[in-house]
Amino acid sequence: MTERRFRPIRGSLVVGTALGFLLVVYLIVANGAADLVHSLHIIGWWLFPITLFHIIPLLLSALSWRELLPPTTRPDVITVVRIRWIRESINSLLPVASIGGDFAGMHLAHLRGVPGVQAVASMVVDITIGAATQLIFVISGALLLLIRSSDRTTTAVASGVLVGTAVFLVTIAAFTVFQHRGLFGVSAKLTRRLLPQQWLSVLESGASAIDDAVVACYRAGPVILGAGALRLIAWTVEAGEIWLVMRVLGQPLDMINALILESLSSGVRAAAFMLPAGLGALEGGLVMVGALLGLPAETALAISLTKRVRELALGLPGLCVWHWIEGHHLLRRSEPRRAVGGAGPADGYTQS
């Protein structure tokens, strides 16, 4: 029964992936595949340091989340960075609507000694802070674009972005209010018909505790401000990746334009969060915003493909580490059962 309910979602993900892939192919063909290949050839081995540059915003985002974890059970920095790396790897490469990695992050934090309630609460607040600071980043980019150009097309695009982000800000504000009004308790009641009975009982018993932990987290004002500042700096530092690519291509871009290009294109990708890896949304956003800044389409596509290479180079090892950790955990859990039961998998199957 549950399987049937999720079939339409899986179907929409497949369709979205196909459409995104076709959009990427169209953009490459329409704007000159040869010029794009030439740009990637120029970048060459610079892909390695450009990829490593992403470690800086990754570290800042990890430290932002770490601020939200209880000090008594807070994992060390290396562990938090590893979990953040796995979260990004899952969200970037798997069809999980950009949130599957966060669920994995909750479980990994719990495995490292963080109480389950605190792991969930910190992740909910971290997601909210991430979305809110990204919108601030996008609004900043739109305002900078308006300051830099009074062209009618530029004004129309920037104004549209500001209106769209205002709507999303209201949504985030409403989501935050719901978190203070017992979000998980209400969710447990609404999902009675969707979840298996054994999951439902666990959710209902812990929902009120999670709601209390979320509210307590928000009440720690300095912690929220510190986490928000770190996350906003992380979004800003991301623009350095575009700045580096443009320097390597011999088409230097000042930092303000790099910020505009990064902020608005990331906003387009975030709006298309249901598309796996934002396929097509990132490329289209970079081409559109790049055109407003006088950037050739093939250069904008070279930037997007550089980002894709970075996602693969960091994401695939991240997925491998995630599978290794989960597999090791399952193996450790199965050993006591075998020792107590004194039987192999066949006995376990019979008992179930």
Side-chain angles (χ1 to χ4, degrees):
M1 189 68 176
T2 304
E3 182 73 19
R4 291 180 182 178
R5 291 193 183 102
F6 287 102
R7 281 180 184 174
I9 299 176
R10 293 178 181 176
S12 64
L13 289 174
V14 172
V15 172
T17 302
L19 292 176
F21 178 75
L22 290 175
L23 177 59
V24 173
V25 172
Y26 169 77
L27 289 172
I28 292 174
V29 173
N31 294 288
D35 292 334
L36 177 59
V37 171
H38 178 67
S39 297
L40 293 176
H41 178 72
I42 293 175
I43 295 174
W45 69 271
W46 277 98
L47 282 171
F48 181 70
I50 290 172
T51 297
L52 291 182
F53 177 82
H54 184 70
I55 294 176
I56 300 174
L58 176 68
L59 172 62
L60 291 168
S61 297
L63 293 176
S64 172
W65 173 50
R66 188 172 184 267
E67 287 294 305
L68 304 173
L69 294 167
T72 54
T73 56
R74 183 180 292 165
D76 58 79
V77 173
I78 294 177
T79 299
V80 170
V81 171
R82 182 168 62 244
I83 295 175
R84 179 71 203 185
W85 170 39
I86 293 172
R87 284 173 62 186
E88 284 197 8
S89 300
I90 295 172
N91 287 340
S92 297
L93 300 183
L94 298 182
V96 290
S98 298
I99 59 171
D102 303 318
F103 284 99
M106 297 177 200
H107 184 237
L108 293 173
H110 184 51
L111 292 180
R112 297 300 297 181
V114 179
V117 169
Q118 297 294 339
V120 175
S122 68
M123 196 64 66
V124 170
V125 178
D126 181 63
I127 292 171
T128 307
I129 289 175
T133 51
Q134 185 177 23
L135 286 180
I136 294 173
F137 183 49
V138 173
I139 290 172
S140 301
L143 291 175
L144 287 172
L145 183 60
L146 284 173
I147 293 172
R148 288 230 154 179
S149 176
S150 58
D151 178 73
R152 181 176 298 178
T153 303
T154 301
T155 302
V157 171
S159 300
V161 170
L162 289 174
V163 171
T165 50
V167 173
F168 277 108
L169 276 175
V170 172
T171 304
I172 291 175
F175 180 58
T176 305
V177 171
F178 288 146
Q179 291 175 38
H180 284 78
R181 300 292 176 86
L183 173 66
F184 284 89
V186 174
S187 299
K189 296 176 182 178
L190 294 177
T191 54
R192 288 179 184 275
R193 299 182 61 185
L194 292 176
L195 296 177
Q197 187 59 42
Q198 62 270 28
W199 292 14
L200 186 60
S201 60
V202 173
L203 180 60
E204 288 182 333
S205 63
S208 60
I210 295 173
D211 286 327
D212 292 341
V214 169
V215 172
C217 193
Y218 278 117
R219 285 176 178 168
V223 172
I224 296 295
L225 289 175
L230 284 170
R231 198 63 180 276
L232 189 57
I233 294 171
W235 289 118
T236 306
V237 171
E238 287 276 11
E241 187 177 59
I242 292 178
W243 183 85
L244 281 173
V245 173
M246 295 302 296
R247 295 285 296 184
V248 172
L249 289 174
Q251 305 175 43
L253 196 69
D254 65 68
M255 200 60 200
I256 298 298
N257 281 340
L259 280 169
I260 294 172
L261 191 55
E262 175 65 34
S263 62
L264 298 188
S265 62
S266 71
V268 172
R269 179 172 182 170
F273 65 93
M274 285 300 295
L275 288 176
L279 193 61
L282 172 64
E283 289 73 15
L286 283 168
V287 170
M288 178 187 69
V289 180
L292 298 176
L293 300 175
L295 210 62
E298 62 271 15
T299 303
L301 287 172
I303 294 173
S304 72
L305 290 181
T306 301
K307 288 179 174 289
R308 296 298 187 189
V309 170
R310 181 255 297 164
E311 288 177 352
L312 287 171
L314 295 179
L316 290 177
L319 292 179
C320 292
V321 171
W322 174 47
H323 282 291
W324 182 85
I325 292 174
E326 293 290 356
H328 186 65
H329 172 64
L330 290 175
L331 184 62
R332 290 180 61 184
R333 286 184 60 187
S334 65
E335 286 177 354
R337 294 179 182 176
R338 291 181 181 179
V340 173
D347 287 335
Y349 176 79
T350 304
Q351 292 172 2
S352 64

